[in-house]
Amino acid sequence: MLVYKFGGASVSTIVNIKNAGEILRTQPNNHPVLTVVSAIGKTTNALENVAHAYYSQDIQQALDYFEIIKQQHLNIAKDLLTNELINCQNQLLDFFTEVEWLLHDKPVRHFDYYYDQIVCIGELLSTSIFSHYLTEAGIENTWVDVRDILRTNDNFREAVLDWDYSAQQVEQQILPLFQDSKIVVTQGFIGSTTDNESTTFGREGSDYTGAIFANLLNAESLTIWKDVPSVMNADPKQFDFATPLPVLSYDEVIEMAFYGAQIIHPKTIKPIHDKEIPLLVKCFLDPALPGTVISKIKTKIDTPVVILKENQALIKFQSKTYDFVGEQAVSELYLLMKKLFIKPNMTQIGAINFTGVYDHISDKVQQLALEAENLFDVQITQGLQMLTIRHYQPQIIDTLTSGKQILLTQKTNETIQFLMQ
Ligand code: ASP
Ligand code: MG
């Protein structure tokens, strides 16, 4: 058994969808393949706009945004399909109707609930088109609504999987399907609660879905098909010295993801690590390229691995009373962070202050600062960069920090980090 995950880019055009189909058709040894697919291109972002417009009760705007998404999917289906077109259109129309009904209701629950009910459609649409395309191309497959398989709690937008229940469903519902066809197509990123409400695993969560299935099916490997040749030691859009890393250990990848490398969703590693399932990162544009193999084998890395995170905010929490910032004050701060679902990327504790560095992506930083003002004097510095270098060497540190003002440095034998301006 193999698990393949196709990302949004790999189904974003007619050419790419056909190409993904060829990858399935020509996969060696004719293995059964559980195929997890993301939403097409930037559909999830577009659906987020629908959700926001709906929640602020700008219904016309929400419908207008949704209309664009509908047309895009119908157009792709029309360009791609002939025999299967009507079947596919009917399935797409059912999903459209589900969302449109919801858009006409007044929101009475919290935003995250509606977000998941609307945004989950992206993967249902993409898999419907993909599965019908495979059928039309003579590649036998079965489409599955993953919400019947992966059960989660109701922590909308950051749902937690019920492993035992989901394992049972995989056993009872997924495994028998492979008797009829070698390929099962299902959605990444989404699941459902006991009450059949849709949930999502957090942005970019389809990788995680791939890892869940690999774990539950005891797959031979999980392959993530991307538009890059392999995992690299730096983001090639940011650094021209970026080079491929052909082999990596789970430990290295989990660290890279933790420090902010945009390679694989951080939650992906644990489910495959626990069963020692190798993770292959391959390029869908050229499947012959070797890509990257990630496994338990620890290899020595000679190339520095560089991760640059923009848009960082530093918050300095200073004791109001000149008392030490001890375990009491620190635990209160962490409780506050837990309440706001905000996680520091870097921390430092001094005698009378605590410093935290955070992604400045929403109003959460402001909220944290505001709520902490009862306890501390608070000072925020915005617009910073966090540079992390693993397996660092003096020369690369000099190159990457030259001309920068360093606000904070942290160093272990393996990793050095700079907060810079
Ligand atoms: N479609 C979702 C997103 O864009 C999940 C994924 O692509 O992994 O976040
Ligand atoms: Mg994606």
Side-chain angles (χ1 to χ4, degrees):
M1 176 77 63
L2 303 176
V3 177
Y4 280 3
K5 181 259 174 172
F6 288 105
S10 54
V11 287
S12 62
T13 63
I14 305 292
V15 172
N16 288 356
I17 293 174
K18 289 186 174 173
N19 183 51
E22 281 324 292
I23 289 174
L24 281 169
R25 196 205 301 275
T26 55
Q27 67 86 10
N29 304 326
N30 202 20
H31 278 100
V33 188
L34 185 290
T35 309
V36 170
V37 184
S38 295
I40 291 175
K42 301 276 174 242
T43 305
T44 305
N45 294 351
L47 286 164
E48 284 186 340
N49 293 337
V50 175
H52 284 293
Y54 163 72
Y55 206 68
S56 56
Q57 279 295 280
D58 193 345
I59 300 304
Q60 196 48 51
Q61 179 68 271
L63 288 168
D64 289 349
Y65 282 148
F66 192 56
E67 191 57 36
I68 299 173
I69 298 168
K70 283 167 61 176
Q71 291 313 322
Q72 280 167 343
H73 286 82
L74 289 170
N75 286 340
I76 292 179
K78 238 186 283 162
D79 291 344
L80 194 63
L81 304 171
T82 320
N83 298 343
E84 288 294 314
L85 181 62
I86 299 287
N87 287 341
C88 183
Q89 276 171 341
N90 287 340
Q91 199 180 16
L92 297 182
L93 292 178
D94 284 346
F95 294 134
F96 295 157
T97 309
E98 256 181 62
V99 172
E100 280 164 345
W101 272 355
L102 184 146
L103 294 183
H104 285 101
D105 278 347
K106 257 207 157 42
V108 288
R109 298 176 63 170
H110 61 98
F111 174 71
D112 291 354
Y113 164 78
Y114 292 104
Y115 177 101
D116 280 1
Q117 309 320 302
I118 294 170
V119 165
C120 71
I121 292 296
E123 271 67 12
L124 293 162
L125 301 176
S126 66
T127 49
S128 170
I129 294 175
F130 188 58
S131 167
H132 282 102
Y133 168 70
L134 294 180
T135 306
E136 180 147 324
I139 304 164
E140 253 181 72
N141 72 101
T142 316
W143 181 91
V144 171
D145 187 334
V146 81
R147 296 173 300 176
D148 296 331
I149 312 296
L150 299 186
R151 163 77 52 87
T152 72
N153 69 2
D154 62 358
N155 195 4
F156 296 104
R157 293 185 72 178
E158 206 50 71
V160 179
L161 185 74
D162 178 340
W163 282 90
D164 292 337
Y165 182 89
S166 305
Q168 244 176 40
Q169 299 315 304
V170 165
E171 174 99 29
Q172 291 168 7
Q173 297 195 57
I174 297 287
L175 284 177
L177 297 178
F178 284 106
Q179 284 159 11
D180 299 333
S181 63
K182 283 265 186 287
I183 292 164
V184 168
V185 175
T186 198
Q187 304 79 37
F189 179 52
I190 70 177
S192 112
T193 67
T194 343
D195 297 330
N196 287 322
E197 297 163 329
S198 302
T199 52
T200 64
F201 292 122
R203 285 304 306 267
E204 303 301 327
S206 296
D207 290 350
Y208 179 54
T209 305
I212 292 169
F213 277 111
N215 177 299
L216 294 177
L217 291 162
N218 296 307
E220 222 165 276
S221 61
L222 163 65
T223 306
I224 295 187
W225 294 94
K226 292 175 81 82
D227 55 359
V228 291
S230 67
V231 178
M232 304 191 114
N233 70 328
D235 183 342
K237 288 183 219 109
Q238 291 173 323
F239 300 104
D240 53 13
F241 59 79
T243 66
L245 297 168
V247 285
L248 285 169
S249 66
Y250 298 131
D251 293 3
E252 185 62 36
V253 173
I254 212 162
E255 294 288 338
M256 287 168 73
F258 172 78
Y259 288 117
Q262 304 278 322
I263 30 166
I264 289 155
H265 192 285
K267 286 196 289 197
T268 312
I269 300 299
K270 186 179 156 49
I272 52 170
H273 164 271
D274 290 353
K275 293 221 171 143
E276 298 187 359
I277 298 165
L279 166 58
L280 318 176
V281 177
K282 301 261 294 172
C283 182
F284 66 79
L285 301 166
D286 189 353
L289 291 177
T292 299
V293 181
I294 299 159
S295 72
K296 66 170 180 174
I297 301 164
K298 297 216 164 66
T299 41
K300 198 177 164 314
I301 298 186
D302 304 318
T303 353
V305 173
V306 177
I307 302 140
L308 183 68
K309 279 190 116 180
E310 303 281 354
N311 216 358
Q312 301 294 295
L314 174 137
I315 313 185
K316 193 163 177 181
F317 305 92
Q318 178 121 13
S319 169
K320 273 187 196 287
T321 53
Y322 214 70
D323 286 314
F324 285 126
V325 174
E327 60 277 23
Q328 177 67 30
V330 173
S331 63
E332 281 177 49
L333 252 182
Y334 268 93
L335 281 177
L336 203 51
M337 292 186 233
K338 184 174 164 221
K339 190 182 97 181
L340 296 171
F341 291 100
I342 184 168
K343 172 180 82 67
N345 295 325
M346 204 175 180
T347 58
Q348 205 156 62
I349 304 183
I352 53 163
N353 58 62
F354 177 98
T355 304
V357 179
Y358 304 88
D359 291 334
H360 200 179
I361 36 175
S362 60
D363 54 2
K364 281 185 182 176
V365 165
Q366 250 68 36
Q367 228 173 318
L368 174 64
L370 202 68
E371 295 204 26
E373 269 177 357
N374 299 327
L375 309 162
F376 303 91
D377 289 326
V378 181
Q379 199 193 326
I380 308 183
T381 317
Q382 308 178 16
L384 306 174
Q385 293 179 316
M386 192 173 74
L387 174 71
T388 303
I389 312 175
R390 289 183 52 74
H391 321 290
Y392 53 87
Q393 296 154 359
Q395 199 205 326
I396 188 150
I397 294 176
D398 288 349
T399 314
L400 296 181
T401 59
S402 100
K404 301 279 185 184
Q405 186 198 345
I406 310 286
L407 283 83
L408 205 61
T409 306
Q410 251 169 35
K411 183 173 168 180
T412 66
N413 285 340
E414 274 186 326
T415 307
I416 191 160
Q417 291 189 282
F418 300 97
L419 188 70
M420 351 186 267
Q421 204 161 20

